[in-house]
Amino acid sequence: FLESQKIIALSRRFREIQLKKKLQHVQMEASSMLKRIFRKHNYVSSIIIDPETYDVLLIDSHKDYIEKSTLSAGEKEILLISIIWAIFKCSGRKVPFIFDTLLGRLDKTHKAAVLTEFIPNCGKQAIILSTDSEIDETHYRILENIVAKEYTLEFNVEQKETNILNQYFSFKQTGLDI
């Protein structure tokens, strides 16, 4: 019984050490992605995730804490997607990402950064559900070389059904007509 208790304690300690190592890796990857996307360069120096509570702490270049409440809604979204991306990158799992109104809260600079830095690096498959105001023609041009399939869903009020068009709004047509 005593030996089994020692083995259980050793196993528990090993898991704690492994968790801390994995969290450090997630922190580094999330901090790296955040720095690449954030418009405020050098604003957030690092992300720390408490291994007990999983609270996320932001540190600036002076080693001071940054209150998450001071971030805009778009910056909070970028923080969240950076952490989620880092978790999946560190896990080594290949899962599809599905984003619904990913760019809705972001300004043009952050949109471009998310489309050039985050989307191409978020795995083998990403599905982006957006409106034409989220991804306008300029932002569509950033993505068009990495897009495998694109569709527009149009709701037909008279028939009460959704029609699927094999294009993203009319951007491709506009490009061909010029």
Side-chain angles (χ1 to χ4, degrees):
F1 180 76
L2 186 61
E3 291 300 316
S4 65
Q5 292 299 326
K6 288 179 185 178
I7 292 171
I8 290 170
L10 181 64
S11 175
R12 187 174 295 128
R13 180 70 182 131
F14 176 76
R15 285 193 313 263
E16 289 170 4
I17 291 169
Q18 291 303 106
L19 175 64
K20 286 181 181 179
K21 283 182 181 178
K22 197 56 95 169
L23 274 178
Q24 287 175 339
H25 192 205
V26 168
Q27 290 169 175
M28 289 184 340
E29 293 292 347
S31 297
S32 173
M33 180 57 76
L34 189 69
K35 289 176 190 177
R36 289 172 23 203
I37 298 175
F38 245 30
R39 182 183 61 219
K40 298 174 185 172
H41 296 290
N42 300 321
Y43 181 62
V44 176
S45 169
S46 61
I47 296 171
I48 297 176
I49 302 171
D50 185 292
E52 301 294 321
T53 64
Y54 299 105
D55 284 341
V56 174
L57 304 171
L58 305 176
I59 308 295
D60 68 13
S61 58
H62 303 294
K63 306 290 184 221
D64 293 326
Y65 290 104
I66 300 169
E67 287 292 326
K68 290 186 294 286
S69 61
T70 63
L71 300 177
S72 69
E75 290 168 337
K76 288 176 185 173
E77 182 177 338
I78 290 170
L79 172 62
L80 180 63
I81 63 174
S82 295
I83 293 169
I84 291 170
W85 173 82
I87 290 169
F88 280 100
K89 182 174 185 208
C90 293
S91 77
R93 295 187 184 226
K94 307 290 185 213
V95 297
F97 281 85
I98 302 172
F99 302 105
D100 190 1
T101 58
L102 172 67
L103 307 173
R105 294 182 177 97
L106 304 179
D107 59 25
K108 285 186 177 192
T109 307
H110 282 129
K111 280 182 185 181
V114 166
L115 296 175
T116 57
E117 296 292 333
F118 175 68
I119 294 297
N121 294 304
C122 72
K124 289 190 174 230
Q125 184 179 33
I127 299 169
I128 303 171
L129 307 172
S130 72
T131 64
D132 60 344
S133 62
E134 272 184 274
I135 299 180
D136 58 17
E137 191 164 359
T138 302
H139 295 107
Y140 173 80
R141 298 288 173 225
I142 294 170
L143 280 177
E144 71 180 326
N145 292 330
I146 61 169
V147 171
K149 300 275 185 183
E150 56 189 67
Y151 304 98
T152 299
L153 304 178
E154 284 189 352
F155 186 72
N156 184 322
V157 177
E158 293 173 10
Q159 295 178 348
K160 297 183 182 174
E161 67 182 19
T162 301
N163 297 317
I164 302 170
L165 307 175
N166 288 318
Q167 65 182 26
Y168 182 77
F169 297 99
S170 60
F171 298 149
K172 213 163 218 174
Q173 288 178 339
T174 305
L176 294 174
D177 293 342
I178 294 177

